[in-house]
Amino acid sequence: MPKSKGPGKEKEGDVGPPAEDEGPVQKPRRPLIFISHDHRDAPLAEAFANLLTDASGGFLKSFRSSDRKGGAGIEFGAEWYTEIMGKVNEATDVVALLTSSSIDRPWILYEAGVAKGRLDRPVFGVVVGVTFDQATKGPFAQFQ
């Protein structure tokens, strides 16, 4: 049986003194998936965003610049470059949709490069409608 060390003292076996107020507890940041894609692949990007939402029970939030229906895109009147770079910075992960429309597009490479190289965010390539060999040339060759 633990021994008392006196009034207001800890009991033997206690780990340490009661924790002092360490300030407000920060809630974990909700994941934000940045979906990098060519504007011609907007329907595919929307379907992928819906898949993420449905598979996670609404927990995963996504951003895609082509969204014109809801709040997952660039607001009307906003400066597009600032918005995109802000969302890349906020993102916990980046998914590059690699299609025949996007495989050689510089913006896909730029967004993925900023995310991985400057911000050290995980970047995932999702290959749709092109061969794996086509998708793994250039910068995406480093990803398995």
Side-chain angles (χ1 to χ4, degrees), residues 5-99:
K5 294 183 180 180
K9 301 288 182 182
E10 303 168 71
K11 293 183 181 175
E12 195 174 294
D14 285 350
V15 177
E20 293 182 25
D21 185 17
E22 296 176 10
V25 176
Q26 291 186 2
K27 290 171 64 174
R29 187 164 65 135
R30 185 172 168 195
L32 174 66
I33 313 304
F34 183 98
I35 302 173
S36 180
H37 64 288
D38 184 274
H39 73 279
R40 294 169 289 183
D41 292 327
L44 176 62
E46 180 179 5
F48 187 75
N50 290 338
L51 175 66
L52 290 174
T53 299
D54 293 347
S56 69
F59 181 71
L60 293 177
K61 192 170 121 180
S62 64
F63 172 85
R64 58 188 196 288
S65 61
S66 64
D67 179 32
R68 301 290 180 248
K69 297 177 187 172
I74 300 172
E75 294 293 324
F76 181 74
E79 201 278 309
W80 65 270
Y81 181 80
T82 303
E83 281 290 309
I84 288 174
M85 289 299 100
K87 291 298 182 182
V88 169
N89 191 49
E90 266 182 62
T92 54
D93 302 90
V94 172
V95 172
L97 295 181
L98 303 174
T99 68

Side-chain angles (χ1 to χ4, degrees), residues 86-141:
K87 291 298 182 182
V88 169
N89 191 49
E90 266 182 62
T92 54
D93 302 90
V94 172
V95 172
L97 295 181
L98 303 174
T99 68
S100 59
S101 299
S102 69
I103 200 84
D104 294 320
R105 300 297 294 171
W107 269 106
I108 305 294
L109 298 175
Y110 182 78
E111 291 166 351
V114 167
K116 184 67 179 165
R118 190 173 74 184
L119 302 172
D120 199 29
R121 301 289 192 275
V123 175
F124 303 93
V126 174
V127 180
V128 180
V130 294
T131 66
F132 188 72
D133 288 342
Q134 290 173 297
T136 56
K137 290 182 180 171
F140 285 101

